[in-house]
Amino acid sequence: MNATTSATPTTLPSGADFGSLPLSPAVLANLQQLGYERMTPIQAASLPLALAGKDLIAQAKTGSGKTAAFALPLLANLNPRRFAVQALVLCPTRELAEQVTQEIRRLARAEDNIKILTLCGGTTMRPQTASLAHGAHIVVGTPGRILDHLSKQTLSLEALNTLVLDEADRMLDMGFAEDIAEVVRQCPAQRQTLLFSATYPEGVTKLASRFMRNPQEVKLTERHAATTIRQRFIEVKENERLHAVGLLLAHYRPVSTLAFCNTKQQCRELVAVLQAQGFVALELHGDLDQRDRDQVLVQFANRSCSVLVATDVAARGLDIAQLEAVINVDITPDAEVHTHRVGRTGRTGQDSQGERSGWAFSLASLDDMERVARIDTMQGSDSVWQPLADLTGATDAGSEPLRPPMVTLQILGGRKEKIRPGDVLGALTKDLGFDAAQIGKISVNEFSTYVAVDRDIAAQALQRLNAGRVKGKSVKVRLL
Ligand code: AMP
């Protein structure tokens, strides 16, 4: 692993001692007691900047030591003698909020009498309100419930000096963007803001630009070892190129595939060919307005679209967690762009050995061989080839057409109607009798809510939702 920050682009102080940081002797002693001997890479990259009071956008996953990377700065900003909420950590889920609270408690042992409260939905507000009335220094919670307390004025953020957004990408996935914005509006402008996210989709950068001051970026870039992404080149004649994409999909059956074309025209043609073959394929292109773009991305991210077809420009800023395959429908003339395309797969999928794995297929005609040679040089290895005739998935006896596991239902009504993900989940599970395991991602946009459901229950869910209620109101629902 290799850490870069915009402030210190070349050094990697990972493994450095906590003693090199401006922390009090009591805090250092506590860290030693906890067995934290050396900083993890994310801590080594973030802590010097965060302890210097900078706003941070840090890329880190659970297990990386990210909690301490924001908890130590938040504690450093705290005045224990001031009985007011001075730090707020927003988390996507109750489980994470509880985990974060525990870790902050451990780290706060150095100081006595620091009060930390967890405020999440799903329980009554009254006991939380009573605890708040007794005073707390730090609040950890989910955006919806924090907002509830703010609107009831049972929580005040007037004395806040540190705001943390933990797992910002997941909070956005869950439709919390507007709730977060509302919470931020109630925070003092003078504060330190720390944003942690496992991935960097467009929305996270947008969110950050709305309310962070000159944030420093801390990224841990993992070099994708050649073994974790299986690359195959397939020789095609020009008139076989588009057809070969369907053959690859039928043969390898990836759940989510990003297919790159060099031109918009090619994207359009490929989508038409794939749709005619019965695949669920969508095009992401620059001419889409924001609403259509969101709708395409929602369907791809929630696994109800098998293939997203895009040019490099259209795919910029796109970050999809689970991507089983990338297909280079056209070989790019720029070897670096190729490496970038290929690196989008195999990020989070784990195979049985616990390794990240993904497929990257490249369709090359004889005219592309010069480009392939450049790619080989850049990657320092020879390309591995597979004959087109080996792709027999579509003709194998008994093979089913590739279908995405989920289907997206669009509920006409979104943030404007104050719909929250929990309302939709509650309607589907408590009221309409579906199992939570059959419900996928729920995305609340301004005017619409998108909910992914198992393909098997799609028709039933559509019918029951149309006949039932969400937030006590009847709603209009359609299949996307
Ligand atoms: P997190 O990614 O914040 O969920 O942390 C993962 C686990 O690593 C937690 O159990 C922490 O207590 C532990 N941890 C965090 N930082 C360190 C460190 N520098 N040395 C040892 N353990 C750590």
Side-chain angles (χ1 to χ4, degrees):
M1 199 180 265
N2 160 341
T4 59
T5 73
S6 49
T8 50
T10 49
T11 51
L12 170 61
S14 88
D17 209 303
F18 283 100
S20 61
L21 297 171
L23 293 170
S24 73
V27 170
L28 288 171
N30 182 40
L31 285 169
Q32 200 163 32
Q33 256 195 351
L34 289 171
Y36 293 15
E37 286 174 5
R38 310 207 142 261
M39 288 190 255
T40 66
I42 190 68
Q43 291 165 354
S46 321
L47 283 170
L49 295 167
L51 288 169
K54 303 262 190 251
D55 278 9
L56 272 197
I57 304 180
Q59 186 175 31
K61 301 192 180 90
T62 297
S64 61
K66 68 179 163 79
T67 316
F70 61 73
L72 290 170
L74 153 177
L75 289 166
N77 288 345
L78 211 72
N79 176 359
R81 281 177 301 283
R82 181 160 187 206
F83 292 99
V85 175
Q86 295 164 59
L88 171 66
V89 183
L90 291 178
C91 298
T93 62
R94 150 193 303 281
E95 298 83 74
L96 184 66
E98 279 165 2
Q99 224 171 291
V100 165
T101 304
Q102 271 185 5
E103 176 77 350
I104 300 181
R105 284 224 162 89
R106 273 201 292 264
L107 292 167
R109 286 194 312 206
E111 297 266 6
D112 24 65
N113 289 327
I114 293 185
K115 256 190 91 177
I116 310 168
L117 267 187
T118 320
L119 301 179
C120 297
T123 56
T124 51
M125 290 190 55
R126 197 185 302 242
Q128 296 179 348
T129 303
S131 304
L132 277 166
H134 278 92
H137 297 98
I138 304 170
V139 166
V140 182
T142 46
R145 182 50 63 100
I146 299 290
L147 208 51
D148 292 340
H149 280 289
L150 286 170
S151 54
K152 287 203 155 61
Q153 300 189 334
T154 42
L155 169 67
S156 158
L157 299 177
E158 271 166 25
L160 188 102
N161 55 36
T162 318
L163 172 67
V164 179
L165 306 181
D166 194 11
E167 300 199 354
D169 49 353
R170 269 178 83 197
M171 288 202 281
L172 292 183
D173 273 353
M174 295 173 70
F176 282 136
E178 281 316 307
D179 284 358
I180 294 171
E182 185 52 42
V183 173
V184 172
R185 267 193 285 278
Q186 307 211 23
C187 295
Q190 267 298 332
R191 60 161 199 271
Q192 185 178 18
T193 308
L194 305 170
L195 180 153
F196 284 72
S197 192
T199 60
Y200 272 57
E202 254 171 295
V204 168
T205 338
K206 261 195 232 157
L207 187 74
S209 67
R210 281 168 75 177
F211 54 74
M212 296 183 76
R213 278 176 316 162
N214 183 25
Q216 308 285 304
E217 280 194 30
V218 176
K219 276 198 182 188
L220 297 179
T221 50
E222 276 155 275
R223 300 185 173 281
H224 23 266
T227 51
T228 59
I229 295 170
R230 289 165 288 183
Q231 275 211 69
R232 295 285 180 276
F233 284 75
I234 293 126
E235 191 179 328
V236 291
K237 298 198 187 71
E238 219 41 74
N239 63 359
E240 295 170 325
R241 198 183 283 276
L242 299 186
H243 185 63
V245 177
L247 294 178
L248 279 169
L249 295 172
H251 190 83
Y252 288 96
R253 310 184 71 79
V255 177
S256 299
T257 300
L258 184 55
F260 285 102
C261 299
N262 287 354
T263 64
K264 280 198 254 184
Q265 178 63 24
Q266 180 85 319
C267 289
R268 221 161 294 148
E269 285 172 21
L270 177 60
V271 168
V273 167
L274 290 174
Q275 288 180 344
Q277 292 173 339
F279 293 104
V280 181
L282 291 171
E283 186 191 349
L284 187 70
H285 58 79
D287 306 336
L288 291 176
D289 64 26
Q290 192 58 41
R291 210 161 89 192
D292 291 335
R293 185 179 164 87
D294 287 348
Q295 213 171 76
V296 168
L297 290 178
V298 160
Q299 290 177 82
F300 190 58
N302 73 17
R303 318 207 111 195
S304 56
C305 159
S306 303
V307 194
L308 188 65
V309 180
T311 58
D312 296 292
V313 173
R316 196 174 287 158
L318 190 71
D319 203 341
I320 305 222
Q322 288 174 297
L323 200 55
E324 282 80 10
V326 161
I327 301 179
N328 295 302
V329 181
D330 301 308
I331 306 293
T332 156
D334 185 336
E336 211 163 309
V337 169
H338 178 89
T339 307
H340 196 71
R341 287 178 174 183
V342 166
R344 286 168 171 271
T345 186
R347 287 202 184 161
T348 54
Q350 301 224 321
D351 66 17
S352 50
Q353 277 90 50
E355 286 205 327
R356 291 134 195 281
S357 64
W359 285 105
F361 304 107
S362 302
L363 303 173
S365 69
L366 283 178
D367 288 343
D368 291 322
M369 293 309 163
E370 240 183 79
R371 295 177 176 183
V372 175
R374 276 203 291 274
I375 291 168
D376 283 357
T377 310
M378 164 113 187
Q379 301 193 335
S381 61
D382 287 339
S383 37
V384 179
W385 292 78
Q386 175 173 14
L388 188 60
D390 280 5
L391 303 177
T392 56
T395 48
D396 284 348
S399 74
E400 297 262 318
L402 178 70
R403 293 235 156 266
M406 312 299 278
V407 168
T408 302
L409 304 182
Q410 179 185 18
I411 301 170
L412 304 180
R415 280 196 301 273
K416 279 266 188 279
E417 285 71 30
K418 303 218 180 325
I419 291 183
R420 290 203 190 135
D423 301 327
V424 178
L425 188 64
L428 283 164
T429 54
K430 287 201 204 88
D431 308 345
L432 303 177
F434 293 104
D435 185 352
Q438 299 173 303
I439 318 297
K441 233 178 209 180
I442 300 171
S443 322
V444 182
N445 290 13
E446 198 171 359
F447 301 105
S448 280
T449 300
Y450 302 96
V451 51
V453 299
D454 272 1
R455 173 166 296 280
D456 300 342
I457 63 157
Q460 239 185 348
L462 175 69
Q463 192 212 345
R464 289 195 207 162
L465 265 178
N466 264 322
R469 282 162 184 274
V470 174
K471 262 206 133 157
K473 288 204 196 96
S474 55
V475 284
K476 264 206 159 43
V477 187
R478 64 180 191 113
L479 277 181
L480 270 195

